[in-house]
Amino acid sequence: MGSKIAPDTNPPDPTTITDNPDNTTTTTGSPPSKLKQLSKSALRFILHQWLLIGMGVACVLAYYFPNVAKHGGVIRSEYSILYGAMALIFLISGLSIPRQKLFLHMLNWRLHFLVQAFSFLFIPALMLAVVHAILAGDPHAHIDRALLAGYIFTACIPTTIASNVVMTRSAGGDEAAALVEVLLANLLGPFITAAWTVTVLPDRPEFETWRHGDGDLKDMYRDVFKQLGLSVLLPLVVGQLVRWTWPDPTARVLQRYRISKIGTVCMLLLVWTTFSSCFATGALQTLSARSIIFVVLFNIALYIFLTSLCFILCRPPRVLCNLGLGDSKRISIFKRVSPEETIAVCFCGPAKSTALGIPLLYAMWTPLDLVVKAKTSVPVLLYTTEQICVAHFFVHVLGRWREKGGEGEDQHEHEGIGVRGGDGVV
């Protein structure tokens, strides 16, 4: 009997030379295929960075066509974007978030203390120290004093509304926590910011111009609360009602059509209108190159520092978490926050709001010259725009941390602030 030869079941090596029917040889894995693979990788990278690319396009359009999207411009962005785009963002949030999580976070006093104290107390104190350091090191006023007054004002305004929710959602954080905190901050902000800004301003002659602003705030309060009601609260309630009435169809539509991506597009519209108003007023053109460079670089460093500090406050070292009173009772202030809520705090704590900041600034200092008000608004405009750029990178960093490290930690480290259970849950 002849021996049977087993068929060769191993697939051919893709890098070997094979014969084709025309008696010619071809080589797979050739340079053209590698070039195609590199092209696909480059295209995938560009698509992942589409938010930054979109922001660049928005800035270019704002520079060359500022009258289109400025306040009072061609498209009436104070209504079409600040109402329409923001309403769409919070409608999506209302459709996505379970109402139980909203109710639980409304009573989460530890989370409120973390975010609101950081935003309204720590950042103004830090900014006052920085301004005093600049005044001591810059006696010849190379840095415009209007910028310093603008930074004090920026430190005292509440956290932003739209981008916090969008970024928290993108990073896999607790969107409900972010939503509750931005609502609370922007309800408190109109009553806190004006008086707090005048209190924090340095008691020096060069700041007297801003210490005695006697603008009428009645119209500002009316406009701010009208915007909160129509563009935030009403869409949120409508979204919750739709989710409550048709839960399964709503979830399928959100998943199938990737509705959450619309919120990011709306955020680009907000960047567009912000820069359009900035270029239209000539705020940037009136400042020296030295002042502009200082503002841009300082904003980036400040946002990174504040975000890192928020993370440390939410996730203190284990040696602090192990401190206790007696045998088992821990000091509650050192309890770690859940990874999802940590992400929400990291986006809500350092951020500041243009939507409230600019109307409040112009209302507070109505008697001031327009150029002075434009210069004072530069820190608000640039910081709130740069925070979105830097937060885009933190979305990836915090998202990967949550997937790799945050979820793998012990349950007892998640107690304290949050809705995960344990004796620290509110």
Side-chain angles (χ1 to χ4, degrees), residues 9 69 114 129 227 348:
T9 57
L114 254 181
Q227 182 179 357
C348 293

Side-chain angles (χ1 to χ4, degrees), residues 75 91 124 135 161 209 289 296 356 368 382 422:
I75 64 172
L91 176 62
L135 291 173
I161 301 176
T209 301
V296 171
L356 175 64
L368 295 186
L382 289 186

Side-chain angles (χ1 to χ4, degrees), residues 97-108:
I97 301 174
R99 65 183 183 277
Q100 294 88 347
K101 293 189 71 174
L102 285 176
F103 293 147
L104 284 170
H105 281 304
M106 287 178 185
L107 301 176
N108 194 342

Side-chain angles (χ1 to χ4, degrees), residues 408-423:
E409 297 182 359
D410 294 336
Q411 177 68 25
H412 70 271
E413 291 182 348
H414 299 327
E415 296 175 356
I417 303 176
V419 295
R420 289 187 162 228
D423 57 2

Side-chain angles (χ1 to χ4, degrees), residues 278-342:
C278 185
F279 288 125
T281 59
L284 293 176
Q285 295 88 324
T286 59
L287 295 170
S288 65
R290 183 179 300 180
S291 295
I292 293 297
I293 293 173
F294 164 76
V295 171
V296 171
L297 297 180
F298 178 71
N299 286 344
I300 296 174
L302 178 64
Y303 187 84
I304 293 174
F305 171 74
L306 293 176
T307 304
S308 303
L309 188 58
C310 282
F311 184 85
I312 293 172
L313 290 174
C314 292
R315 312 289 294 179
R318 285 196 177 97
V319 64
L320 295 178
C321 296
N322 291 333
L323 293 177
L325 297 175
D327 295 331
S328 61
K329 187 177 180 182
R330 292 180 180 177
I331 301 174
S332 60
I333 194 172
F334 293 128
K335 287 184 178 180
R336 285 188 167 188
V337 183
S338 69
E340 292 78 12
E341 291 177 8
T342 298

